Amino acid sequence: MQRLRVTIRGAVQGVGFRPFVYRLATEMRLGGWVKNSPQGVFIEAEGPREDLDAFLLRLEREKPGLSFIQSLEYSLLEPLGYEGFRIQQSDESGDRTTVILPDVATCPRCRAELFDPSDRRFRYPFINCTLCGPRFSIIQTLPYDRANTTMKSFVMCPDCRREYSDPADRRFHAQPDACGVCGPHLSLWDSRGRTIATGDDALREAAAAIRRGETLALKGLGGFQLLADARNEVAVLRLRERKRREEKPLACMFPDLEALGHYVNISPLEKRLLLSSESPIVLLRRHPDTDIASAVAPGNPYLGAMLPYTPLHHLLMKELGFPIIATSGNLHDEPILTDEREALASIGDIADFFLVHNRPIERHVDDSVVRVQLDRETILRRARGYAPLPIILKLSLPPLLAVGGHLKNTVAVSKGSDVILSQHIGDLETAKALFAFRKVIDDLLSLYEVKPAAVVHDAHPDYASTRYAKDSGYPVVPVYHHHAHLAACMAENELEGEVLGVTWDGAGYGEDKTLWGGEFLLGDAGGYSRVAHFRPFRLPGGEAAIKEPRRTALGLLHEIFGPDALTNGLYLPPDKLAREGFPEATARLLGQMLTKGINSPITTSAGRLFDAVAAILGIRSVCSFEGQAAMMVEFQVDEEEQGHYPVNLQGSDPLVFDWEPLFREIIRERDQGTPLPVICARFHNTLVEAILEVAQKVGVRRVVLSGGVFQNRYLTEHAFRRLEGAGFRPYIHQRVPPNDGGIALGQIAIAAARMDKPCA
Ligand code: ZN
Ligand code: ZN
Ligand code: FE
């Protein structure tokens, strides 16, 4: 038994939606209720898991003809034991105007008009209606009226004006309403900004350029995208080279669901996601031997795939009829660009052509990334389609600003019981990223009229976000990184009281000033104790180790074998040592650094353990992007293999998970010639057993899994099932990313719990 919580926004009120939900739930014998509120329709339904999945799919498939779902978010929660299903009285409290909708993918009716030669908007790339189109990316201030959007400079023609003013029309008060006569239009520029074509010609010529193997920068919905033929190896490699993005997977857009089906496996839940109004990038298991260029996602069994979600994308994909890469339009890891002049200056060397338009983008919104694991959605990057919808907590919150972490940054504000988590901002490594970070903060505070009582930040003293908080002039609340992970996962699963938090990631500043990362925390938002952690080791060169698994391997093995780790070729397999190993002098220097503890911070990182395995097995010694080595270890796993290495838990209060026996075995098996997929599976399985053993020793039934390491599907699914099988109740992230993109939510929950105490 589980409880499904669904929040639906869109044309779902006054169209017979509640009676429909009631009939469906009753027919399916689910307990629960449905309720209207100014924030949307809320549904809670309880039943066996398979029935809830079926309910969710039928909800969309069988909904009343006049209804349209602009956004649907759901979570699976603890059952409450509802008896029967009822329609609850509407909740009139709450302010409709404060709900800012995300951008909504083109609705079926607009899509039909787009391709109807008799329609006055035939092939008009900015067609939209009251149900669909841009929202968050064009809103300047509230309330949501045309004059408060970036559409204000377009004066409606008489035809559009008539539709806009007619209550019986589908475009009644559709703020971005426009047509070819009065609305935004396209231009095609060459890489120096000279106009080559306009209107439909611009679109056709842009498509022709992609077909020829050239790179197109497209001004999309929430920013620029870089597009190229995904089947053209040369085109993809050239884009990678120009963008300085060596191997990080590139997302693809497919013409339609049917075409996509030739390339990947699609489950019913994944299909729902792909066709939803959110229309995110979905990570899908790919078929072998398709015509997708190998450079799109080298060595990766998944493909990040999406379907067209704006009229412009629909037109372009119809013209092309084949998959394209659609990656964010930016310079390596900077924030996505939104302005055509800036784009020209910044990525003029990357793109051969620019397909632009004159509807300004008010704020950047990247494509979201979602994966289905354990038959449920986990959002890995929360942006277009989801931001800025609130995460509604059960308690009333003081007004707060949380500034998140350092990598994959998002920020959040609280208002009432809502936490508004910002769109993905990115790694705060560059001046441009910091600028975007500040802009998003100002934006959220003014849009939601929040005057923060405090600014919550990560306890790391050197994070740019921490400096921002301290310079803000507001009272500050520091929060430990892994505590924030724990609290974020608890908040979205509506958990109260003590739980065991398995919080595993690359690194976060810990109480003892070392880099934590393989942590078991017992507690809740109000506080925690560190009941277990991984055995610490040193990272030679600190930060440099993130991109060099061989350094991590060296540091870890130095802890076991001392200086021998350098000389006898333990840290890389003998056959890789000559090519990928450190030169003699460097190795000696690193050895000295480790022995003396110079520039070699101590860490308990779980993420780095994956890196060490990657190096020791010769899978990857140097990475081209963060997390690459860990991903490759996951992708190697032989899913049939059940074995694991010994789990060694030492001491008590805190327990220490000693990985030494594990690594001794890995090296022994490597040298014996045990297949890598078997070793990788046993490594994962050992971590799963470690989680289980710690959980058994701690003896708390509820276990939350959080932190970037739980983006690993194999680890997450196996840990979840193993815990569940042993009588524990595991929880994972759903609507909020398990990585650092989710910690702003945890920061808010923790600060609220602390500020609550003195008053209680
Ligand atoms: Zn529409
Ligand atoms: Zn018009
Ligand atoms: Fe983290």
Side-chain angles (χ1 to χ4, degrees):
M1 282 295 258
Q2 286 191 308
R3 172 167 52 117
L4 177 74
R5 147 92 51 86
V6 193
T7 307
I8 301 178
R9 295 176 174 90
V12 285
Q13 287 158 322
V15 290
F17 201 81
R18 279 180 306 167
F20 153 70
V21 173
Y22 173 81
R23 279 194 303 272
L24 183 62
T26 311
E27 180 202 314
M28 297 184 74
R29 291 169 207 225
L30 302 174
W33 48 261
V34 54
K35 173 173 83 173
N36 256 341
S37 94
Q39 270 83 24
V41 170
F42 294 93
I43 303 169
E44 294 215 345
E46 275 183 14
R49 186 54 212 285
E50 315 81 73
D51 292 356
L52 296 179
D53 283 350
F55 174 71
L56 193 68
L57 294 173
R58 289 184 64 183
L59 208 55
E60 290 200 74
R61 213 173 325 128
E62 299 169 24
K63 64 183 186 293
L66 284 173
S67 63
F68 180 77
I69 294 173
Q70 289 175 311
S71 109
L72 181 155
E73 281 202 281
Y74 71 89
S75 333
L76 287 158
L77 304 167
E78 291 284 281
L80 294 174
Y82 291 124
E83 301 242 339
F85 198 92
R86 48 199 192 91
I87 297 180
Q88 277 194 1
Q89 201 162 15
S90 295
D91 182 355
E92 302 301 334
S93 68
D95 189 355
R96 182 188 291 272
T97 59
T98 61
V99 177
I100 300 174
L101 270 186
D103 298 316
V104 182
T106 308
C107 76
R109 290 173 76 182
C110 285
R111 209 165 57 227
E113 289 171 353
L114 181 64
F115 293 108
D116 175 1
S118 69
D119 193 274
R120 72 182 189 92
R121 290 189 182 83
F122 177 56
R123 292 184 68 85
Y124 179 59
F126 303 95
I127 185 171
N128 65 78
C129 71
T130 324
L131 303 177
C132 75
R135 297 289 185 275
F136 189 43
S137 64
I138 60 163
I139 293 173
Q140 294 175 312
T141 56
L142 292 177
Y144 175 52
D145 284 327
R146 190 177 179 97
N148 293 335
T149 70
T150 63
M151 282 299 292
K152 67 183 168 207
S153 57
F154 297 94
V155 179
M156 276 184 249
C157 70
D159 285 337
C160 287
R161 166 70 49 198
R162 196 178 317 113
E163 294 166 337
Y164 183 88
S165 317
D166 177 3
D169 195 277
R170 194 167 103 250
R171 294 192 169 87
F172 178 57
H173 281 207
Q175 307 306 345
D177 187 20
C179 73
V181 175
C182 64
H185 59 262
L186 291 177
S187 301
L188 184 68
W189 294 353
D190 66 12
S191 60
R192 290 155 85 190
R194 290 174 301 207
T195 304
I196 304 172
T198 57
D200 213 28
D201 291 342
L203 185 108
R204 291 182 198 273
E205 288 195 28
I210 293 177
R211 222 179 280 118
R212 286 195 304 270
E214 295 181 284
T215 304
L216 180 75
L218 173 82
K219 184 180 178 186
L221 191 54
F224 273 80
Q225 289 174 317
L226 286 161
L227 312 180
D229 185 346
R231 307 162 309 167
N232 184 329
E233 201 76 51
V234 177
V236 177
L237 283 171
R238 194 174 51 230
L239 172 57
R240 282 199 179 278
E241 196 177 304
R242 290 180 184 171
K243 204 175 138 111
R244 282 184 277 153
R245 177 161 164 149
E246 291 159 53
E247 292 169 303
K248 201 171 178 179
L250 299 165
C252 293
M253 184 177 276
F254 290 76
D256 51 42
L257 192 71
E258 201 204 328
L260 177 57
H262 297 305
Y263 291 89
V264 293
N265 295 333
I266 309 171
S267 73
L269 281 175
E270 289 164 342
K271 179 179 160 192
R272 188 204 79 77
L273 258 177
L274 287 161
L275 296 173
S276 68
S277 290
E278 291 83 357
S279 193
I281 296 169
V282 185
L283 299 187
L284 299 165
R285 179 137 339 231
R286 63 205 274 188
H287 298 159
D289 307 322
T290 63
D291 60 0
I292 293 283
S294 62
V296 168
N300 196 319
Y302 298 92
L303 206 56
M306 61 184 143
L307 296 177
Y309 55 81
T310 67
L312 184 49
H313 288 113
H314 280 291
L315 289 168
L316 198 60
M317 293 314 290
K318 183 103 175 173
E319 206 65 26
L320 293 170
F322 56 79
I324 57 170
I325 50 176
T327 185
S328 37
N330 55 7
L331 217 51
H332 39 124
D333 285 332
E334 287 178 354
I336 184 172
L337 291 150
T338 52
D339 179 83
E340 49 271 31
R341 289 290 156 191
E342 271 176 42
L344 200 61
S346 177
I347 55 173
D349 296 340
I350 299 179
D352 301 301
F353 296 96
F354 285 74
L355 184 58
V356 299
H357 58 76
N358 56 341
R359 185 176 74 202
I361 298 172
E362 179 61 20
R363 58 183 63 74
H364 86 273
V365 195
D366 288 82
D367 292 321
S368 295
V369 182
V370 186
R371 139 177 287 176
V372 172
Q373 52 185 4
L374 292 158
D375 289 320
R376 63 177 76 175
E377 295 169 14
T378 299
I379 296 186
L380 301 178
R381 181 165 79 195
R382 192 176 163 93
R384 180 180 52 76
Y386 301 98
L389 290 177
I391 311 288
I392 304 169
L393 304 188
K394 270 196 278 186
L395 50 160
S396 161
L397 302 159
L400 296 165
L401 165 68
V403 293
H406 186 68
L407 299 177
K408 298 187 167 73
N409 179 276
T410 63
V411 300
V413 297
S414 52
K415 183 169 187 160
S417 52
D418 292 354
V419 179
I420 296 108
L421 190 63
S422 79
Q423 72 272 38
H424 167 82
I425 300 168
D427 301 348
L428 302 184
E429 301 266 79
T430 60
K432 282 192 178 152
L434 269 176
F435 181 79
F437 164 79
R438 288 167 183 277
K439 194 164 168 252
V440 170
I441 290 173
D442 293 345
D443 188 32
L444 281 190
L445 292 178
S446 72
L447 268 180
Y448 291 93
E449 296 178 328
V450 170
K451 221 180 132 30
V455 178
V456 201
H457 66 88
D458 193 282
H460 198 304
D462 302 328
Y463 277 1
S465 53
T466 299
R467 283 197 297 277
Y468 172 91
K470 289 190 171 155
D471 293 344
S472 70
Y474 293 107
V476 294
V477 181
V479 165
Y480 282 106
H481 190 92
H482 295 89
H483 191 203
H485 275 306
L486 166 82
C489 197
M490 287 186 73
E492 72 157 317
N493 284 295
E494 298 191 352
L495 301 179
E496 283 168 353
E498 207 170 56
V499 305
L500 174 63
V502 182
T503 54
W504 289 3
D505 62 4
Y509 187 79
E511 276 172 63
D512 57 3
K513 300 186 169 43
T514 68
L515 296 173
W516 289 14
E519 312 307 316
F520 296 84
L521 308 181
L522 179 65
D524 60 13
Y528 71 93
S529 57
R530 189 191 196 194
V531 289
H533 61 79
F534 284 33
R535 174 176 164 188
F537 63 98
R538 287 187 181 275
L539 287 173
E543 288 276 288
I546 294 176
K547 289 227 169 144
E548 284 193 44
R550 57 183 181 175
R551 272 180 195 259
T552 305
L554 200 59
L556 190 129
L557 296 178
H558 194 273
E559 181 74 21
I560 305 179
F561 300 102
D564 280 354
L566 311 164
T567 49
N568 62 9
L570 282 171
Y571 71 98
L572 287 177
D575 59 311
K576 299 256 174 176
L577 204 58
R579 232 173 335 116
E580 298 176 30
F582 292 107
E584 186 61 39
T586 313
R588 213 174 313 117
L589 184 71
L590 291 172
Q592 283 167 8
M593 282 164 60
L594 285 166
T595 309
K596 294 179 185 161
I598 304 163
N599 189 24
S600 300
I602 292 171
T603 188
T604 51
S605 171
R608 295 289 88 81
L609 228 55
F610 282 80
D611 289 358
V613 171
I616 289 167
L617 294 180
I619 292 169
R620 194 79 202 186
S621 56
V622 177
C623 293
S624 72
F625 63 93
E626 190 228 349
Q628 183 184 22
M631 272 170 55
M632 291 177 77
V633 171
E634 177 192 351
F635 297 157
Q636 281 277 343
V637 167
D638 172 358
E639 305 222 3
E640 303 294 304
E641 173 59 35
Q642 305 285 318
H644 63 84
Y645 302 119
V647 173
N648 190 2
L649 290 181
Q650 302 263 352
S652 61
D653 203 23
L655 292 160
V656 176
F657 169 52
D658 183 4
W659 33 255
E660 181 172 332
L662 158 68
F663 276 89
R664 283 183 183 273
E665 279 297 291
I666 286 181
I667 291 168
R668 197 179 60 79
E669 292 199 336
R670 174 195 76 184
D671 295 341
Q672 267 178 0
T674 306
L676 296 189
V678 171
I679 302 181
C680 289
R682 289 179 182 163
F683 166 65
H684 278 82
N685 297 344
T686 312
L687 297 180
V688 169
E689 292 308 308
I691 292 173
L692 184 67
E693 284 197 25
V694 170
Q696 281 166 336
K697 289 218 156 115
V698 173
V700 173
R701 190 167 161 267
R702 299 178 303 169
V703 182
V704 306
L705 308 176
S706 184
V709 168
F710 291 103
Q711 294 173 102
N712 180 317
R713 186 193 58 83
Y714 181 90
L715 181 73
T716 307
E717 291 189 342
H718 284 252
F720 191 98
R721 296 207 177 104
R722 189 82 175 95
L723 285 164
E724 208 172 38
F728 291 93
R729 189 90 177 102
Y731 299 88
I732 60 168
H733 282 281
Q734 303 179 58
R735 300 171 58 199
V736 166
N739 58 50
D740 288 1
I743 71 171
L745 171 63
Q747 290 175 340
I748 296 255
I750 291 167
R754 281 194 207 156
M755 293 169 84
D756 196 34
K757 263 187 193 142
C759 320

